[in-house]
Structures are given as structure tokens and as C-alpha cells.
Amino acid sequence: MSWYDQGWGLSLTVFLPLVGVGTLLLIPKTQERLVKATALGFALASFAASVALLIRFDFGSSAAFQFGTDLSWIPAIGSRYHIGIDGISLPLLVLSTFITVLALVYSWDHWPEPRNPKAFSALILLLATGMAGTFVALDLILFFIFFELVLLPMYFMIGIWGDRAMIRLPGFRREVETRLYAAIKFFLFTLFGSAFMLLGFLALYFKADPHTFDIVALHQAGAMGVFDGTYGAWVFAALFLGFAVKVPMWPLHTWLPDAHTAAPTVGSVLLAAILLKLGSYGFIRISLPILPQQAQDWAPVIAILAVIAIIYGSLACLAQTDMKRLIAFSSVGHMGFVMLAIATLTEAGINAAVIGMVAHGVITGLLFFLAGSMAHRYHTREMARLGGNQKVMPILAGILGFTAMASLGLPGLAGFWGEFMALLGAFNPLDGLSLGVFRTAMVVGAIGTVLTAGYLLWMLQKVNLGEVPDEWAGKDLHDADRFELAAWVPLVVMILAIGIWPKLVFGATEGAVANLIKTAFGG
Amino acid sequence: MFDYHALAPELIVGGTLMAALLADLVLPEERKYLVGVVGIVGLVAALFPLLTLGFCEDLGFCSGATERVMFGGSYVVDDFALVMKGLFLVTGVISILMSVGYIESERYYQGEFYWLIVASVTGAVVMASSRDLITVFIGLELVSGPAFLLAGWRKGDVRSNEAALKFFLIGVLSAAILLFGMSLVYGLTGEITFEGIRAASATLADEPAFVMGVIFVLVGFGFKISAVPFHFWAPDTYQGAPTPVAAYLSVGSKAAGFVGLLTVCYLAFSEVASIWGPALWLLAALSMTIGNLTALKQTNIVRLLGFSSVAHAGFVLVPFAMAASYDAEGLQSAFFASITYLLVYAFMNLGAFAVVIAVAAKTGSAELDDWAGLSRYAPVPAVLLAVFFFSLAGIPPLAGWFAKLVMFRAVLGGTGAWGAALAVIAAVNAVIALAYYARVVKTAFMDPVPATVPLADAGAPIAPALVLALGVTAAVVVVAGFYPPILSFFGDAARALAFGG
């Protein structure tokens, strides 16, 4: 199957969902079953294509970009269709196709108002192409396109199917629907970041000799110190703005709680599980190897912002009354661990970051599924009004308990490795980085894990334990149905599997990370 | 002996004008749309000689130089001219397609309407080849003259009269300023061809009268491209004029102004770039910022598009605002960026106006509030609206991103803080622009349908010609978004002009 390994496998994974969008447009809106089956079919095909890549991946040389191709795309500006995956992008690529399938499975029977499965599935598939494409792109412009491709579908998803509760914004007299505010805030924040990211990409292009957008070539140029100096510092700042908004890092995170809370369930899941990873992936794939000197200069800043995010996210969680908003803020904290891990610039750190990203993807994705399903039943997300979940819907409550444990970093479950190794990496960062800053960061981060445990247990106590409040007596509160289980059980299995056998992820990343650290930082 | 091959596009368009007049004479009132058909056929026919000229050698029609110089250097048919002529012809065709259903409803002077559009396109086609001051001026006036009449075509409407009068007065004023500037330039250099002016101007950069001449020429074109602070006529005129005419003005007429500006700056004034470079920097920064900030507050979609087109004029100016500091490669990159931006802009802006026509036929108004909930009762126009408006905002995967990218690329290619500052201003403006484009889309997709909208026409089919216009522009915008070379190829071909500069 040499054709499959020479670009076709990756291209199919990325573009099958896009073909699905085109196909969906041809199916009349009234044929709901056919619409759903088609969408799911294309998502499954894309997932199967990525699994085939997983199987054929040469783990022995995970540092090399595999299954790649390099074709002419826009000759006028020297941008090429260059794709490929290494050990760092492989787990994230598979995660993105996997979550897409689950999102569509869950949606089969749970359409947010105002329904319209055709448009909703088309948006999910469009998102899928953007997400998968970002992880395979090896050309800066191609990366930019895929990175931005997720904006439109997510904007519409939040804005049309989002939360209709009214909020009053400070400084405005009129109330506005949450979804409208959240959608445009998400869009403007991200676009602001990525406009500067694009300027940064162009600056890299012009500094490289010969001019190129090729990420692999830029890696080599970066390792040789082409971008050192003030010029590189400005470029790093521009890229930082683009990626940090997406992650999001404190203090650029304010779009996240609004977007996550307002988005429909599936939107929150995709946002948390994959979209946030695009930012941290950008740091690992582009900022660190191309600008190693600046990365070292900036590492303490990133570490400090990361621990602020950890503490701030946890404290904000403790103040939430809305279950979905609590989970949203927990993402700020968890991505803080990922960024702290990246800032250490060590093998342990980057490995921790990737496994942290995958783990956060499956865990927080599942938490949002659960929060969405509960809101669907109770028609409220106010934790004060909930309680005794364990008694009315034992299966759902059980999965919620399990996932919360995974999220707080219980050893044996997926969340543990990312947090633990991030702290481990912070104890011993790259030579030359300030030990004082990083060890302080480690201590503060460790306190953060305690706070994390605090708010998650607090949430469980409020929602799962206790007596069922009177207002729900006699209401139809059914337990998890088959579509929900079909979407959740695979995630539960993944959480367990990665927790018990982290080599599932490390096996792919180790070689690639070691190579990255060696070429970029000589260590 | 004339080079009839090189002049074939102009001859065909001229012939079309005659044919349209004759057709208008003999056709009965209810068949007047056939004049439009004549116009479309003629403009499309004129595209063929462009192809045979462009691929002259490949097709075996000729050998050697592809650049054809005529009339003592006053009229040149090179790749740049061919690309721009193609753009004008296509713009004309799409504008006529957009008009057919629109002006049929009024039932008067239909034949003249089409004829005037073709006449204006003729001027634009001449401009693309003009290489002396007089030919440029005549071409530009041939673009504007018919446009004055077109803007006032809805004669019963006060706004349309206002639009025409405003446009006419400003047009005459700008023509006077332009002529004054040209006369100064001619007086000091003794030349009217661009080549001659360039040769004679090397020593004149410090001559106050010459500087004034150059600035006056810039100001004259500044009115045509509606750059801030010469923009104030544009939104009023667009709003009052028939919408297809607004579309033509914002694309065809504006692009003609840009062609004049580009050729004059790069060919005639290339030795004195230190005069026009900073001036254009200022125009670009002001146009983007003021155009976008004013657009934020608009409640009428056509006015909003008017201010957005002011802002886009600023984006097109960005690349060659830095031209003074460029080397040869940078100059070409800047030229490529401006042309590519114009090409992409033409399709997405024509598409946006076509959507406005289609939707206004349903809602009965172009006020933003009346468009609320459009996606409920007219999903296809709503989706197209999103496509064109997000493309104008520069959101991938729609073609607008590529225009923005080449613009940034050109301005960052030079060195120095001024270029970087302009790039940052442009980047911030790209974000501001999203706010108002997204607001329109939000209204159409996310707001509830208001009870007051007269939806009697909501189910009415869109005119077939308009469907064709929408289809063509949407296809180009989407396909070029994924595969930009279909447009950048032409921008690339056109950049040869900057070699000579």
C-alpha cells in the first residue's frame, strides 16, 4: 500500500470529512436518517484511515515525519502542500478523528435546539477537517489555513445552537443572549491572536534563506540559530499571541469560560478535547524548534503564566455555581499544567505535555458530555439545585465520578501522567533555565493539584451525593441511554488504558520528543 | 499598420456598444433584456482575444516579444493589461447578470442601462493599456461618465438623485484636480508618456511644483478609489444608486482607479517614489482604520459595504505604500499583492452585492434589522451571505484570506519599522472588520425573524441571471480559498509590469 503511505492516507484522513460536508449539502434536509448516517459514515471513514496510519506507523523512527507528501500548492508565494506526521502529532491526530466520531454518535439522538441535523453535522465534519489538518500540516500557510478553518464552524455552532439564557454585560443596558456574546467573543479573540501569528509566520519566511514556509526546513534553520536576536524575539511574541489565545493561557483565557458554557454539548466537547490542543501543539511544533533561543528566554514567563493559570483556574472553579462553567474553568487549570510542562523544555516535560493534552482531551471531553446530558435532563446546570444523582441515574453518576477522579489526577487513570510528569519536569528544567522560578512553579503547581482535587470532589458532592431535591420528584430522569453509552464507554476505556499503560502515548512521542530537544536545545 | 490582434478586445467591446444601441432601437419594451444579452455576449467574446494574446506563443500565433507597444508608447498590451482587461470584462458581465432581474421591475430605459455599463467597461479596458497621461484621463472619464448616469437611474427616488449628483460633483472635482496635477507634471517634464516622464523626472524630486503635481494626481485618483479622506461620496452614492450599479462602482470603477494609480506610480513616478510612498502610507492607514470604524456603526447593509469597500481600498494600498523602500524583488511582490487583492476582492464584493440584491428582493429592504432570521426562510441566500462576508473578512478557507496574506507578505518583505507598523495596523483592522461582517451574519443566522418583515415575497424565486452571478462568484470564492493559484496565477502574470519600473 505504498500509495497510502505517500500522502494519500493522511489526505484521506483530513479531507474525507470535507467530502462529507459536500455530500451532506446534496441530501435534502427532510431525510434526517440519511443525513445522520452519511455524517457518521464519513467520520468513521476518516477515523479508520487514521487508525490504519496508527497501525502502519513506524514507532522505531517516530522522530521522522512519516506518510508525508510535498506537492506544489501556491507557487506564487512559495507555499506547498507539505504534510506528514511524527510521534508528537500521531496521538493528537487519532484523538481528533476519534472524538469526532463520538461527537456524531452522541448527536444521533441528542440534537440541540433548533435541531437541523444537516447543518449541525456539516459543521462538525468541517471542524474535523480543520482539526486533523492542523496536526498534519508541515507548511506554515497550510497550518494557518487549518488552524483558522475551525473558527467558522465553531462560531456558528455556538451562535446558533448555543445557550439562550440572557446575560447583562458590564457597561451595557440591554441584555443579550449568552450564545451571541460568547460566539463573537470566541471569534474575535482567536482572530486577533492568529492575525499576529500570521505576521510571525511571514517574518520567519523572510528571515529564512532561501525564503520558505516549510516547517521542516525552518526547524533546521532554527537549530542553526538563524532567527536569534531581537528579530526572533518579536517573532516569538507574535506566535505566542496566536497560540496563547488558543490554549488559552492566562490572561488571554476569558473567551473560554463563555464559549464552553454557551456552546451546545458537542461543541463544548470538541472545543475542549481538540481545539485547545491546537494552541499547545503550535508551541511544540513551531515555536520551540524554530525559535529555540527565544523559547529559552521566554520559558520562565510561560512557566509563571502557566502556574497562575493553574491556581487561578482552580480558584475560579471553586467559585462557580454552574456545572458546565466549572468544567470550563478546570480546562484553564489543566492546560496550565500542559504549558508548564512545555516551558520546562525537557524530554520529560514535552512528553508530559503531549500525554497531558491527550488525557485532557478524553477526560474533559467526557466531562462535557456528562454535563450536557445532565443539563438535558434537569434543564439546569446550577449545582445548588442538583443532588443525589447517584440514586436516580447510577450509571451516569458512576461515570461522572470516575471521570472526575481521572480529572483530578488519580494515579492509574489518564490524568495522572500529565500532571505528575509536568511537576517532575519543572523540578529539573533545561540547563540554563532559572531553577528558582521552575521549582517555585513546581511547588505552586503541586498546590494546584490539591485545589483541583478540592473543586472536583466538591462538585461530586453537590451533584452526585446527598438526597434528590424535591423539585425533581416525579420528573422523568432516565439513566444514560444507548447513544450516550456508545459515546462514553470508549472514552472510559481510553482513560483507563492510558492511565494503566501510558506507553500507548509515550511509545509514539518518546523518540520524536528526544529528537526535538536534542536538535533544538542540544540536551 | 495597426496591430489588430492586440486591439481586438477594444474593437469587440466597441462593436458591442453599437450592437447594443441598435438592438435597443428595434426591440419592443418587453424584450429589452435582450440588450443585456447582447452586452454579455460581447463582453464574453472580448475575453477570447485576451486568451489568444496571453498565450500567444503557446498557441503558435506569434513569436518573440509578447509586449505590444503602440501609438508611440501611449498604448501597451502586456500581461498586466491583459489581466486587468479580463477583470474588467468579467466584472461587467457579472454586473449585467445582477441587473437583469433588478431593473426589469422598474420598466424604463432598460436598454440604455446595459449600454451604459458596457460603455463604462470600455473605458476601463482602455485604461488598462494606457501609458500616457491623456489616454489615462480619457479612459478614466469614459469609466466615470456613464457611471454618473447609472447612479441616478432610479429617477423617482430622491436618494438616487442625491447619489448621482454627489457622485457627479465629486467626479468633476477629482477630474479637475487630476488634470491640474497632470498639467503641472507635463509642464515641468515636457512629456506625456509615462516612459518620458520617468526619464525626465529623476532630477525633479525636490522641485516643489513637481511634488505638487504628483500629489494632485494622487488626490485625483484617491477620489476614484474612494480612499480616506476622499471617500465621503462613496457610501452615499452606493446607497442611493441601484444596487447592481453600486456593485459595479465598488469593483469595476474602483479597480479602474487602481489601475491608473498603479501604472502612474510605478511607471511614470517610479523615480520619485519618495514623494508618493509616504502619502500612500497615510492613505492606506487612514482608509483601513476610518473605513472599518465607520462601518461598525452602519445599520444599512449597502452603506456597510460602502465603508467596507473604503477599508478594502486601504488594504490594496498597503503593499505599495512601502514601495519607496523596496528593491526590485520587493516591488514585484508589492505589485503582485495589489493585483491579487483586487482580483479576489472583485469576486467577493460582487458576490456580496449579488446577495444583497437577492435578499433585498425577499425582505424588501437592505436595513440590517429586517434581515434578522434570514436563514429560517431563505437558507441558501443566508449561506451565501456568510460565504461572501466572511471572505471579505479574510477568514479561511474562503478566498479573502489569500488576499490578506499576500498583502501582509508584501509589506513585511521590505525592511524598516514603517512597514511593520503598517502591517500591525492592517492586522488590527482585519479584526475590527470581522466585528461588523460577523454582525451581519449573526443577524441573518442567529436573531429571530421579526414580526414586521413583509415576507410576501420571501418564497419568490431568485432571478436566473442573478443565480448565475451568485454561482460564479461563490464558486470562485470557495475554490480559490482552497486552491489560490486559480487567481494568483493572474496576479503573478501581471507583476511583470514592475520589472520596467
Side-chain angles (χ1 to χ4, degrees), chain A residues 148-185:
Chain A
E148 298 285 280
L149 184 55
V150 301
L151 288 182
L152 281 185
M154 194 41 87
Y155 170 73
F156 282 110
M157 223 182 244
I158 298 174
I160 297 178
W161 288 272
D163 186 1
R164 284 163 187 271
M166 306 294 277
I167 50 164
R168 173 165 301 168
L169 304 173
F172 286 85
R173 242 189 289 155
R174 262 174 54 194
E175 289 193 323
V176 60
E177 285 185 56
T178 319
R179 61 191 172 112
L180 301 179
Y181 170 65
I184 192 65
K185 192 173 180 184

Side-chain angles (χ1 to χ4, degrees), chain A residues 289-309:
Chain A
I290 298 180
L291 300 159
Q293 186 56 48
Q294 282 71 32
Q296 291 176 54
D297 297 343
W298 277 71
V301 179
I302 296 177
I304 291 168
L305 291 178
V307 288
I308 292 178

Side-chain angles (χ1 to χ4, degrees), chain B residues 293-499:
Chain B
L293 289 179
T294 323
L296 277 177
K297 308 196 73 144
Q298 301 307 317
T299 55
N300 179 293
I301 312 240
V302 178
R303 266 189 99 73
L304 185 144
L305 282 175
F307 281 105
S308 112
S309 90
V310 171
H312 280 283
F315 283 121
V316 181
L317 283 175
V318 163
F320 67 121
M322 298 309 299
S325 62
Y326 285 157
D327 54 4
E329 191 197 346
L331 269 179
Q332 281 185 52
S333 160
F335 201 80
F336 163 69
S338 289
I339 301 295
T340 308
Y341 201 110
L342 273 179
L343 293 174
V344 175
Y345 167 77
F347 284 100
M348 58 195 188
N349 213 43
L350 284 173
F353 272 105
V355 169
V356 172
I357 295 170
V359 175
K362 289 184 188 300
T363 62
S365 107
E367 289 298 321
L368 184 55
D369 288 343
D370 295 338
W371 286 30
L374 181 69
S375 67
R376 304 302 145 67
Y377 55 88
V380 175
V383 168
L384 289 172
L385 176 80
V387 165
F388 291 119
F389 275 58
F390 279 130
S391 180
L392 284 166
I395 307 292
L398 303 161
W401 74 267
F402 186 68
K404 291 268 192 319
L405 172 80
V406 290
M407 182 266 293
F408 282 128
R409 177 175 176 271
V411 76
L412 286 177
T415 50
W418 285 100
L422 195 58
V424 170
I425 294 175
V428 172
N429 267 295
V431 181
I432 299 175
L434 173 72
Y436 61 82
Y437 292 124
R439 190 161 58 97
V440 176
V441 175
K442 182 215 84 171
T443 308
F445 276 85
M446 299 168 196
D447 284 351
V449 183
T452 52
V453 169
L455 288 180
D457 305 328
I462 305 172
L466 188 57
V467 171
L468 190 58
L470 283 168
V472 171
T473 47
V476 172
V477 165
V478 172
V479 175
F482 283 100
Y483 191 67
I486 64 165
L487 289 180
S488 71
F489 169 80
F490 297 106
D492 210 22
R495 80 164 96 190
L497 185 73
F499 273 121

Side-chain angles (χ1 to χ4, degrees), chain B residues 236-326:
Chain B
D236 291 342
T237 301
Y238 292 177
Q239 191 183 0
T243 317
V245 174
Y248 175 73
L249 289 180
S250 74
V251 174
S253 165
K254 181 178 285 229
F258 269 111
V259 165
L261 193 60
L262 282 165
T263 48
V264 167
C265 283
Y266 274 89
L267 296 178
F269 298 153
S270 61
E271 299 292 325
V272 291
S274 55
I275 301 174
W276 53 265
L280 290 181
W281 195 98
L282 201 64
L283 283 189
L286 282 175
S287 301
M288 288 188 291
T289 313
I290 294 182
N292 277 328
L293 289 179
T294 323
L296 277 177
K297 308 196 73 144
Q298 301 307 317
T299 55
N300 179 293
I301 312 240
V302 178
R303 266 189 99 73
L304 185 144
L305 282 175
F307 281 105
S308 112
S309 90
V310 171
H312 280 283
F315 283 121
V316 181
L317 283 175
V318 163
F320 67 121
M322 298 309 299
S325 62
Y326 285 157

Side-chain angles (χ1 to χ4, degrees), chain A residues 20-53:
Chain A
V21 175
T23 316
L24 280 184
L25 292 181
L26 303 177
I27 302 175
K29 210 170 169 177
T30 44
Q31 305 255 30
E32 230 172 72
R33 242 192 122 67
L34 184 61
V35 164
K36 291 192 277 193
T38 312
L40 189 58
F42 275 98
L44 277 171
S46 165
F47 176 57
S50 69
V51 169
L53 292 171

Side-chain angles (χ1 to χ4, degrees), chain A residues 91-92 95-96 98-100 102-103 131 135 154 260 265-278 280 331 335 356-369 491:
Chain A
L92 295 167
L95 178 72
S96 77
F98 177 61
I99 300 278
T100 307
L102 298 185
M131 298 185 299
F135 294 129
M154 194 41 87
H260 275 69
T265 304
V266 173
S268 309
V269 170
L270 290 168
L271 200 52
I274 316 291
L275 258 58
L276 306 187
K277 293 357 174 239
L278 303 184
S280 43
S331 283
M335 291 311 284
M357 282 149 73
V358 175
H360 179 260
V362 290
I363 294 170
T364 310
L366 184 47
L367 278 177
F368 273 118
F369 270 136
L491 287 171

